[in-house]
Amino acid sequence: MNILLLGGGGREHALAWKLAQSPLCTALFAAPGNPGIAEHAKLVDLDLEDHAAVAAFCAGQGIGLVVVGPEAPLVDGIADSLRAAGVPVFGPGKAAAQLEGSKGFTKDLCAEAGIPTARYVRCMSADEALAELVGFSLPVVIKADGLAAGKGVIIAETADDARAAIEDMFGGSFGASGAQVVLEEFMEGEEASFFALTDGTAIVAFGSAQDHKRVGDGDTGPNTGGMGAYSPASVLTPALEADVMTRIIEPTVATLAARGTPYSGVLFAGLMLTAQGPKLIEYNCRFGDPECEVLMMRLESDLVELLLAVAQGRLGAVPAPVLGQDTALTIVLAAKGYPGTPEKGAPIALPSAPEGARIFHAGTAHKDGALVANGGRVLAVTALGASVTQARDAAYALADKVDFPGGFCRRDIGWREVARAAALPAE
């Protein structure tokens, strides 16, 4: 069948690489794509906000499945428009995508369904938020309600920092995303990510990962879209995964179905593993980036078969996803200036990747025949290993061969898992 992939980052390169391996894939198109995706797909120029144009392209090319990579088109309702045109889509409709599109929406759903999460208050003005602030201990978490590219979360250590963050958000620093703000209690614990596929009825687990949000080593500096990740995250044990499915994922799917807005796609649950058990930090309505890169490296199943089954509402009829036992680890090479204003245009020369490793393009472009940086997060260097230490060593060995003088990376990706592995008794 012919498949259309929407998006152009590292997540989409990983998806394109895996989709193209399927015997079910006759032709793969990508919009807008990137130079790495072009190795696996024909790039097409489509305005993703023009739903009619995307639907017309699908009709003209006989597209049998659309895979939506990023969150913005989903929150904008692209899946609804394509389904109305008779095109199978992997990704939730606009109403269900509010799980990511609105932090307050998700918190209210948690309250309705009894899903464990942090205590919160939704605020519609700076005055209201400042008044509610006195009811929270420090540190306090302040979130822009809408989409903010993974950067609309402030952990305020002092009251002055909290007040400044509130004024900043309502002052327009995040545009319309900060028109509402959510105040949350700070949760103690370790973060982990859990993924599940659902067609609105059937639900299957799709692995775990741990991301590294801070820009600097030792988890220092401002939040980013993600500087690296590894999978699986052993801290999310099988018992904890079962608890997450029972107390978080299943109630979410059931509540949305009962509302008449069933969720179809991947549910990406950001979790805090607290002393009271796993609690939901937030949902994403698509695969994470760079978590997708490590999940696709581990996936042994046919991705097209899985995503098509979700899109057609028959997930329960196909085999559950199989992820290999090896650990995958990815290192993001970012452009100088990130997560502020990145420097674009720096030349890049890529080495050949050995077996068990890949370099996924996230923010690259071709200029005058040369590969150059064209975004904040530029490359995701990813490797498999029999242990997290082996995966880390292989990924850094490859990353160090990338000729990208305008870039930088964290040098401690996977540090928690490496420390855990080192603490295990020798066999």
Side-chain angles (χ1 to χ4, degrees):
M1 81 175 58
N2 294 344
I3 300 170
L4 172 63
L5 172 65
L6 302 184
R11 165 185 47 229
E12 288 76 33
H13 188 183
L15 289 170
W17 171 69
K18 204 68 181 179
L19 290 168
Q21 295 174 27
S22 171
L24 298 175
C25 180
T26 304
L28 180 61
F29 300 88
N34 65 37
I37 294 172
E39 299 172 7
H40 315 287
K42 181 179 180 180
L43 305 190
V44 292
D45 184 17
L46 288 173
D47 179 358
L48 304 191
E49 295 182 359
D50 188 343
H51 296 186
V54 178
F57 176 85
C58 291
Q61 295 295 330
I63 299 297
L65 174 66
V66 174
V67 178
V68 186
E71 64 275 16
L74 292 168
V75 173
D76 189 43
I78 186 72
D80 297 312
S81 299
L82 293 175
R83 288 189 181 109
V87 182
V89 182
F90 178 79
K94 183 174 185 175
Q98 284 301 295
L99 281 180
E100 181 166 3
S102 169
K103 307 281 194 308
F105 174 93
T106 297
K107 300 296 284 190
D108 289 349
L109 183 142
C110 288
E112 176 185 340
I115 294 168
T117 190
R119 183 174 69 85
Y120 75 102
V121 176
R122 295 182 73 173
C123 301
M124 308 300 174
S125 69
D127 288 343
E128 180 185 5
L130 292 170
E132 294 284 359
L133 185 61
V134 297
F136 287 84
S137 301
L138 294 170
V140 60
V141 182
I142 302 162
K143 297 181 176 180
D145 182 72
L147 298 179
K151 302 171 191 173
V153 178
I154 303 296
I155 299 173
E157 301 285 348
T158 69
D160 285 345
D161 288 345
R163 286 189 287 267
I166 289 168
E167 297 286 0
D168 199 33
M169 288 186 185
F170 280 109
S173 61
F174 293 100
S177 296
Q180 295 183 34
V181 165
V182 174
L183 304 184
E184 285 188 7
E185 67 173 345
F186 178 78
M187 293 189 288
E188 295 278 359
E190 186 169 342
E191 291 188 38
S193 300
F194 180 77
F195 299 82
L197 301 181
T198 179
D199 59 7
T201 303
I203 309 169
V204 295
F206 199 88
S208 66
Q210 191 170 74
D211 188 14
H212 298 63
K213 284 292 185 187
R214 301 281 189 171
V215 72
D217 287 5
D219 293 323
T220 57
N223 274 336
T224 72
M227 293 299 294
Y230 64 88
S231 174
S234 69
V235 69
L236 201 56
T237 64
L240 288 177
E241 287 193 2
D243 190 36
V244 170
M245 284 289 279
T246 300
R247 301 176 62 221
I248 297 176
I249 303 295
E250 291 173 1
T252 299
V253 174
T255 300
L256 288 172
R259 289 179 177 182
T261 56
Y263 190 100
S264 175
V266 61
L267 269 176
F268 167 9
L271 306 169
M272 186 67 76
L273 306 182
T274 73
Q276 297 77 41
K279 294 186 179 183
L280 182 71
I281 302 172
E282 62 186 20
Y283 271 125
N284 293 311
C285 64
R286 36 68 190 182
F287 284 110
D289 191 348
E291 294 93 342
C292 188
E293 287 89 319
V294 288
L295 289 171
M296 292 303 115
M297 285 290 285
R298 293 183 59 219
L299 182 65
E300 297 178 353
S301 302
D302 185 326
L303 183 62
V304 173
E305 181 182 48
L306 285 166
L307 303 194
L308 185 62
V310 170
Q312 295 178 337
R314 51 179 185 83
L315 179 60
V318 300
V322 176
L323 282 81
Q325 294 301 306
D326 281 357
T327 295
L329 185 142
T330 191
I331 302 157
V332 169
L333 299 186
K336 290 178 181 177
Y338 182 76
T341 303
E343 298 178 9
K344 296 184 180 182
I348 304 166
L350 298 180
S352 297
E355 184 177 355
R358 298 285 305 179
I359 299 176
F360 295 111
H361 293 233
T364 64
H366 279 131
K367 182 178 180 181
D368 299 327
L371 187 69
V372 299
N374 192 44
R377 293 183 296 168
V378 178
L379 300 167
V381 181
T382 312
L384 289 168
S387 67
V388 66
T389 304
Q390 290 182 22
R392 177 202 62 183
D393 291 349
Y396 275 109
L398 181 56
D400 288 341
K401 294 178 182 177
V402 175
D403 185 2
F404 178 27
F408 72 96
C409 68
R410 279 182 59 164
R411 302 299 306 187
D412 63 347
I413 300 302
W415 68 267
R416 292 181 183 86
E417 197 77 348
V418 169
R420 274 190 284 269
L424 293 174
E427 294 185 0

